[in-house]
Amino acid sequence: MHQIARLSAQGVMALFVLAAPLVAQTGGGPADWRAVARSHGIDGGDLDCLAAQKFLITNERFVQVFDPYVKSDLPVFVTADALLNAFHVNLEHAVLSLEVAQAKRLEPMVVRLLEAVRSLEVQILDDPELKEAVRTARWRAELVLGTALRLVGNDTLELDPAVDELVRAEFRRVLEARDVAARDWLGGEHYFDYSTFKPRGFYDLSERLQRYFRAVRWLQAVWFRVDKDDELLAVLMMAAALCPRAAGGALTAAQRSDRELIRFRRDLVGGPDRPDLLDAAEWIRWSVRLRRTSLLMVMSRAQLAAIRKTIERHLAANPPQINDRFAPPPEERSRHAYPDLRVLSTAQVPDDVLFQRTTSLKRPLPSSLEVCAALGSRVARELLPETDREELLSTIDRCRGSFQGVSHYQEYLSCLAALLAPADVRAPALFASRAWAIKSCQTVLAGWAQLRYCWVLQARGGYSFFGGHERPPGFVEPYPDFYRKLARLSARTRAAIRAAGPVCVTPADHIERIRSVVRCLQICAWVERGGEALSELSRSERTAADDMLRLAWDYGFEDVRDQDERKLRANLMAWLQKLADQLKRGSLQHLSPRAQKRLSWLLQEHVVDSTESWAKLEGLCDRLGALADKQLEARPFNEADRKFLVDFGPVLGNVMGYGGNSYLCPTDDAPRIVDVFTDGTSASPMRILHAGVGRPRALYVLYPVKGEEILCRGAVLPCYEFTYPERLDVDAWMRILGSPSHPGQPAWVRPIVEKAGIGPPRVPEPR
């Protein structure tokens, strides 16, 4: 989360500016709001559009979604976009903390699985072919687990030379993350898409998370076919590590930890799309016994056939819905999900299921509007392509049931659905208009893209395959049901984070981060080139470097002012390296006593608690729900309500991690991008559908109050949908957004944005 900024002289001035908004519109008549709109850069046809449809999205750009509420000289209009963005900032932070903890548990789990496969004694009853299948199964399991270990950074375990050669080859391909190739050891009939191993989302923030992403994605990607003895046995042998050592026996602490690692996402994202090791452990629990210090699995042809039949019944009742195999065209079968087993399974999220069913060889890519249609938007149904629309809508309607459920993911979709419901009859007419319905679709798709970004490792993505009276200080988007649903979801998220247990940060974590920053600064030649070199780092590397350099300056580095800048940078690098070395030894002797006292927290294990921000978000949503009710019932706001709206910008900034007055200088990191579907009908050039959001833009609304229209301003996040030949991360997306060739917004959004469109940003002038 963001550090609390010091209150500068400029910050004090800004606070005084904030105290005096809302004075621009006085008197009566339509000319008043038009003059104010012109002062905000709205004129000509855009002014007429605002007058006709009562709202307009402009190209006025902000760094963060709370910005227009902090720096506004107009009444505010609190949008659902703002709340959804605040929700996702907190969700990303929470999931990131959980994944950092899971990253520490993954390597020990894979080691235990590999040790179990090696030590497991498989007793085959009178079947030579099955004995040979056991040998091949052990080889296959070592290949999969050995590659996973190499991906998390463990290069110490010795493997059979033949296995080791394959492991090294797969390791190189995964790191390159470019190939689409058939692999003989996977059967050779389908292509393996290595581009999916490129770390994306917040998983590129550190080397540990990048390694974790690749390893988890690997364990999710490798398939084991049920009809092949050796592949089925490989899964069963790995699953033996999760079984009690005796019938009805208790699990060990390590087994409970491994099971939790596999299971922890199910309540949040949804059930697995395919059976994984947890399911396999249940199917073989009566076949595994402890013999002295080793495991024994007794297996006959009849027992294996019985287990296979159990799996086939399970797959028939719970068929996989999402195809993640890249098949060469024109194989129509590639459009469907194949029944197989995985070490880890991705979640069966409803939008992936929807896209799998709405695509075909004739229609290789879906439209994100299908999500809005599935959530109940009538205008989205009308905006879908006319070709085969009835068949498409019929398919969408059959999928609508999967959007309803009890998972955290489905409950979030229910919040979005509340924005697409018909407007309350008490709301102003503009909220029942077709134009506002289009705006709501954009809000929903921006929220959906942020959700997919957060769960990029779990949602796999398929293949185609008032006049004369005192004016109020602002208004809220009139959807009380949405605010209350988001409040309940925030409470549920807070409870889930608390139930997952504390996230501990250890000295080893600080050591790894400091050394990672030092390596980055060495690679970009920061000592020699100075600040120019930092521009070559990725977004995550720049953030980490900034944090570490600030730590050095603020907490102990002795600044010698008469040094030249190059020598100063060299000494600072040496100081950071020495800090990491001494942390490893458990001391801070090279620091002054004052610095030792200030940095002693680096030597302590401490718990990161992110539940407070969720409580704040829950309270914020409840408050907005109450205000929406008041608006719809035409009840006046009291003094506390008015103060809440005036202070909404700083309050929202605080919920999003900007403590103190740091919201006055927000970080430029709002854009998000995620790949959601791959056109598998052609391996080259690949067409990958991306969904994303750009930097916040201004939304101007003419809100009717007692026969008068009051111009107010809020924020929206523009949504994007486009294909690209490779999988984009946020750094690449931000470069594209800043280039002349950036993709435009979908055509259906154009009626509600200014005539020039959302292009090169029009940054608001200081007021």
Side-chain angles (χ1 to χ4, degrees), residues 1-2 64-66 82 85-86 89-90 651-658:
M1 304 295 275
H2 304 275
Q64 290 290 344
V65 76
F66 55 80
N85 188 229
V89 167
N90 283 280
V651 169
L652 184 63
N654 183 257
V655 169
M656 295 172 67
Y658 288 85

Side-chain angles (χ1 to χ4, degrees), residues 55 57 65 69 76-84 415-416 418-421 423-424 427-428 430-432 435-444 474-484 621 623-632 637 644-645 648 699 701 703 712-717 752:
F55 76 97
I57 297 171
V65 76
Y69 302 106
V76 299
F77 182 75
V78 178
T79 61
D81 303 68
L83 267 291
L84 290 171
C415 293
L416 297 183
L419 297 172
L420 300 173
D424 192 297
L430 80 94
F431 297 105
W436 191 263
I438 291 174
K439 181 268 172 194
S440 295
C441 285
Q442 170 171 271
T443 298
V444 164
F475 309 91
V476 303
E477 204 164 338
Y479 294 101
D481 192 40
F482 162 75
Y483 298 119
R484 293 195 177 95
C621 293
R623 186 72 180 272
L624 290 169
L627 289 181
D629 280 334
K630 280 190 173 183
Q631 273 182 204
L632 292 171
F637 291 161
F644 171 79
L645 288 171
F648 181 73
L699 167 71
V701 175
Y703 204 97
C712 47
R713 183 177 68 176
V716 296
L717 287 172
I752 63 172

Side-chain angles (χ1 to χ4, degrees), residues 558-731:
E558 299 297 333
D559 179 9
V560 182
R561 295 292 178 185
D562 58 357
Q563 293 180 357
D564 65 75
E565 290 188 8
R566 185 185 183 285
K567 188 174 181 181
L568 195 64
R569 290 193 294 269
N571 287 343
L572 199 152
M573 284 268 284
W575 186 91
L576 284 172
Q577 185 61 62
K578 194 169 184 180
L579 176 63
D581 293 341
Q582 293 215 347
L583 283 174
K584 191 171 183 179
R585 292 196 292 270
S587 75
L588 297 170
Q589 293 177 354
H590 73 296
L591 301 176
S592 66
R594 179 171 174 270
Q596 287 185 41
K597 184 176 181 180
R598 297 185 73 187
L599 281 175
S600 60
W601 58 273
L602 290 173
L603 294 170
Q604 309 297 320
E605 180 175 305
H606 61 279
V607 175
V608 177
D609 182 11
S610 62
T611 58
E612 182 182 352
S613 60
W614 286 106
K616 291 178 181 177
L617 181 58
E618 181 187 354
L620 187 65
C621 293
D622 280 333
R623 186 72 180 272
L624 290 169
L627 289 181
D629 280 334
K630 280 190 173 183
Q631 273 182 204
L632 292 171
E633 295 164 5
R635 288 187 286 134
F637 291 161
N638 59 33
E639 190 57 36
D641 298 333
R642 298 173 61 82
K643 186 176 187 307
F644 171 79
L645 288 171
V646 170
D647 294 339
F648 181 73
V651 169
L652 184 63
N654 183 257
V655 169
M656 295 172 67
Y658 288 85
N661 72 327
S662 62
Y663 59 84
L664 297 173
C665 302
T667 305
D668 184 11
D669 63 357
R672 293 289 184 266
I673 194 72
V674 63
D675 50 287
V676 297
F677 200 85
T678 302
D679 176 7
T681 60
S682 175
S684 179
M686 190 182 293
R687 291 202 305 162
I688 302 168
L689 183 66
H690 288 76
V693 295
R695 294 177 178 88
R697 294 304 201 272
L699 167 71
Y700 288 90
V701 175
L702 288 174
Y703 204 97
V705 177
K706 297 185 178 180
E708 183 182 351
E709 292 178 333
I710 297 180
L711 183 66
C712 47
R713 183 177 68 176
V716 296
L717 287 172
C719 70
Y720 294 85
E721 179 186 52
F722 59 96
T723 61
Y724 207 75
E726 61 186 65
R727 300 181 196 278
L728 295 173
D729 57 22
V730 171
D731 287 321

